[in-house]
Amino acid sequence: MQIKETANEGLKRAYAVTIAAKDIDARIDSEVKKIAPQVKMPGFRPGKVPANLVRKMHGEQLHAQTVNDMIRESVDKVMAENKLRPAMQPKVEFGEGYEEGKDASLTVELEVLPEVDAPEVEGLKLERLMVPVTDEQVMDAVNRIAEGNKSYKDAPKTKKAADGDQLIIDFVGSIDGVEFEGGKAENTPLVIGSGQFIPGFEEQLTGVKTGDEKTITVTFPADYPAEHLAGKDAQFAIKVQQVKVPAETKVDDEFAKNLGLENLDKLKELLRGQLEQETAGLTRTQMKRQLLDTLAAGHDFAVPQGMVDAEFDQIWAQLQQEAARADDSAAMLKEMEDEKDDYRRIAERRVRLGLLLSEIGQKNGVEVTANEMQMLIQQAAQQYRAEDRQRFVDYVRNEPMAAAQLRAPLYEDKVVDFLFDKAEITDREVTREELEAAIEAEEDAAADAKPAKKAAAKKPAAKKAPAKKEAAEKPAAKKTPAKKAAAKDEGEKKPAAKKAPAKKAAAKK
């Protein structure tokens, strides 16, 4: 086997490999001797079939397997002899025009990981923004639960429905006198002013009384998910079974017991813990972004473009999915194109930070244990159907790249925790609003990658489909930032995955 380096520029390497025909032939002869004792052929006793006949019977299959094995071995030899650390799977191309009996030639192209000097972890200084949970916030949370569990009582039959009142109605919807699918329901609760139904529906029921019958006309929104209804006028024949008014919800021990808790104090204790956990998560996000910003500012080294491309493709695919669900898909796609260079800078930053954190972790002995990896695999397998879970587990165990991608987020968190332990941390008490503003500012700074860059415009998220048999109901419409949703700073999304192992390099013809 001959190996010749043909390119060495920056992080790119290329090699020409020649596998001699005599070596291939010798390997095939060796394989024939191995399988000959198991070959059965009419007219010969078991194990006595001549080698030339065995080769004639299985030669084509043996030749293909042997060449493929020797290609993989040659790639491994290239990596070992040149002490290469591939950033991703090497690109292996088999020479054209190869015929059995001739030398086999192939090219191996790859990018290597840069040599990164892991920074000293001593002397890091970070500010931790702390948000104390007050009794007032706990009571606000209790009151929100009480509001969400509001009960209603029957109103007098003379009571005219107003905002905040609940109606129990039957309705039948039709277009041009023809009932449409999903437009009919009975004993449906509707709170006037809740915005639960399509525009104009609830407003026309203001003032109705128990027992009233009324026909209203409404227009379905042009972007209504059910295409056969979108933009059309519909009539709804409505019968008001009951007008109900809000009943007073008393926040006391009995209220807590109805929620499955011992008393009101236990409810407050539970909510306080949830609020503290939530604010602690925000604090960690703020500290992590601060840490990553510090690391990014102090390190600027070349990164493999293949890794950047892969990270960028992941960001871009996520953006395209969101654009497809946006109210104004064309506008978001244009915004994406205008910001394309920014997204590539974000991808490059993530890759650089991923390599830097990996180097810090390796230098300081940070590891993901076998037990932790096993738990990760089992947790990830739960997203699949029961019959497919074992297949997923086997796939991850047999594919180093898949295992590395699954391991990367946990490894990053462990390195970050290690750095937190080493850092000099100063605590400062702030309000939740101030903490969220600090996170937003750090997110903008990292995503924009340049101080003068204006934050991206926001887009509305996709509308959810209406419930079955409730065609009159309006889907909710939340708004989320377009740029940040797809390309969040590394405080919440992991940097690019670490290097792919050299083993099992692609060896396709």
Side-chain angles (χ1 to χ4, degrees):
M1 183 185 301
Q2 295 181 349
I3 300 173
K4 180 182 179 182
E5 185 177 73
T6 57
N8 186 334
E9 182 179 353
L11 300 177
K12 294 182 178 180
R13 303 287 186 274
Y15 299 87
V17 180
T18 302
I19 305 173
K22 63 178 182 178
D23 293 336
I24 297 173
D25 196 59
R27 177 73 69 87
I28 294 175
D29 282 342
S30 176
E31 292 299 317
V32 168
K33 290 177 182 178
K34 286 181 184 178
I35 69 170
Q38 286 82 42
V39 174
K40 295 181 180 180
M41 183 180 290
F44 295 93
R45 287 181 297 166
K48 298 299 183 180
V49 180
N52 63 325
L53 289 180
V54 173
R55 185 159 184 164
K56 185 174 182 180
M57 288 174 60
H58 303 283
E60 186 176 344
Q61 180 181 352
L62 283 172
H63 178 263
Q65 183 62 45
T66 297
V67 170
N68 203 45
D69 289 345
M70 294 185 77
I71 287 173
R72 283 197 296 271
E73 291 168 9
S74 67
V75 173
D76 289 344
K77 188 175 181 180
V78 168
M79 301 300 142
E81 287 188 355
N82 294 278
K83 298 179 180 180
L84 301 175
R85 297 193 305 160
M88 300 181 71
Q89 291 263 10
K91 178 183 177 183
V92 180
E93 291 189 351
F94 198 65
E96 293 183 4
Y98 172 73
E99 296 177 4
E100 187 173 352
K102 293 184 178 180
D103 293 346
S105 61
L106 59 142
T107 59
V108 181
E109 298 178 358
L110 71 153
E111 286 184 292
V112 297
L113 291 172
E115 294 297 328
V116 180
D117 294 327
E120 293 298 325
V121 297
E122 307 294 340
L124 274 173
K125 294 184 178 181
L126 299 173
E127 183 180 49
R128 179 164 51 203
L129 303 184
M130 308 289 289
V131 179
V133 176
T134 65
D135 292 342
E136 182 182 0
Q137 289 173 321
V138 173
M139 276 310 301
D140 285 344
V142 171
N143 291 331
R144 282 196 297 272
I145 291 177
E147 183 70 20
N149 286 271
K150 184 182 292 185
S151 60
Y152 295 86
K153 61 182 180 181
D154 290 350
K157 292 186 177 181
T158 56
K159 170 71 167 73
K160 293 183 178 181
D163 274 3
D165 292 342
Q166 185 187 63
L167 304 179
I168 305 299
I169 60 174
D170 299 341
F171 63 81
V172 178
S174 61
I175 296 176
D176 297 330
V178 179
E179 290 185 24
F180 54 85
E181 184 180 357
K184 182 177 182 179
E186 295 180 349
N187 297 318
T188 300
L190 167 63
V191 176
I192 295 180
S194 65
Q196 180 184 356
F197 280 36
I198 59 177
F201 194 103
E202 296 169 21
E203 293 85 342
Q204 295 183 63
L205 295 179
T206 300
V208 298
K209 302 187 296 294
T210 298
D212 283 356
E213 294 186 12
K214 185 174 184 178
T215 299
I216 64 173
T217 299
V218 293
T219 302
F220 281 96
D223 59 352
Y224 196 73
E227 294 183 4
H228 67 292
L229 301 176
K232 293 187 177 179
D233 292 337
Q235 293 73 45
F236 284 90
I238 298 168
K239 182 173 182 179
V240 181
Q241 298 287 5
Q242 184 66 54
V243 175
K244 293 174 174 282
V245 292
E248 180 183 358
T249 302
K250 192 174 182 180
V251 177
D252 55 12
D253 288 343
E254 193 62 33
F255 171 73
K257 288 178 182 178
N258 289 335
L259 296 175
L261 299 168
E262 293 178 25
N263 50 45
L264 184 57
D265 286 340
K266 286 294 183 182
L267 174 59
K268 290 180 180 179
E269 182 183 328
L270 175 64
L271 291 175
R272 183 180 293 276
Q274 291 177 349
L275 290 170
E276 288 174 346
Q277 185 176 10
E278 186 179 339
T279 56
L282 291 173
T283 294
R284 177 181 169 82
T285 295
Q286 175 267 327
M287 278 187 62
K288 184 175 179 181
R289 289 180 179 167
Q290 187 184 160
L291 169 66
L292 295 179
D293 286 345
T294 301
L295 293 175
H299 297 83
D300 185 15
F301 50 85
V303 293
Q305 282 305 302
M307 294 180 73
V308 175
D309 291 343
E311 186 69 17
F312 173 79
D313 289 345
Q314 183 178 346
I315 293 172
W316 200 250
Q318 183 181 351
L319 283 167
Q320 287 178 319
Q321 290 175 3
E322 293 184 355
R325 298 191 298 265
D327 285 349
D328 192 342
S329 181
M332 185 175 175
L333 287 170
K334 183 180 184 306
E335 177 187 327
M336 285 165 50
E337 289 293 338
D338 293 341
E339 308 250 341
K340 201 166 188 175
D341 289 343
D342 287 349
Y343 293 125
R344 183 162 288 279
R345 279 193 291 272
I346 290 170
E348 184 173 326
R349 170 187 159 101
R350 287 182 180 175
V351 171
R352 186 174 289 109
L353 282 169
L355 295 174
L356 189 57
L357 288 173
S358 178
E359 211 60 42
I360 292 172
Q362 290 178 30
K363 180 180 178 181
N364 293 280
V366 179
E367 294 181 347
V368 172
T369 66
N371 284 341
E372 288 172 333
M373 193 64 197
Q374 180 65 23
M375 288 179 62
L376 275 179
I377 294 173
Q378 294 300 331
Q379 288 171 0
Q382 296 306 308
Q383 65 183 304
Y384 296 93
R385 296 179 303 178
E387 59 268 29
D388 295 329
R389 288 171 189 167
Q390 187 56 47
R391 198 182 335 168
F392 170 79
V393 170
D394 294 341
Y395 167 74
V396 173
R397 287 174 177 167
N398 294 324
E399 288 293 334
M401 180 73 79
Q405 290 176 340
L406 194 61
R407 169 184 173 275
L410 176 59
Y411 185 78
E412 177 201 317
D413 278 341
K414 296 190 75 167
V415 175
V416 167
D417 286 337
F418 167 79
L419 292 173
F420 283 167
D421 288 340
K422 294 290 185 181
E424 179 183 326
I425 298 176
T426 303
D427 291 337
R428 179 161 65 93
E429 195 171 294
V430 296
T431 64
R432 182 183 176 114
E433 291 73 21
E434 289 172 330
L435 175 57
E436 290 174 343
I439 293 173
E440 184 84 3
E442 290 169 357
E443 185 175 285
D444 284 343
D448 293 336
K450 47 189 178 183
K453 181 77 182 162
K454 184 180 178 182
K458 295 185 177 183
K459 74 172 182 66
K463 295 185 175 182
K464 70 178 182 179
K468 188 175 181 182
K469 293 187 179 179
E470 292 183 352
E473 293 193 31
K474 178 182 70 173
K478 295 182 180 178
K479 295 203 172 208
T480 51
K483 186 171 181 179
K484 294 168 191 170
K488 280 188 177 180
D489 184 59
E490 297 78 2
E492 292 180 2
K493 186 182 188 306
K494 68 179 181 66
K498 317 307 182 285
K499 69 183 179 73
K503 202 75 177 171
K504 294 189 179 180
K508 295 182 180 179
K509 289 187 182 180

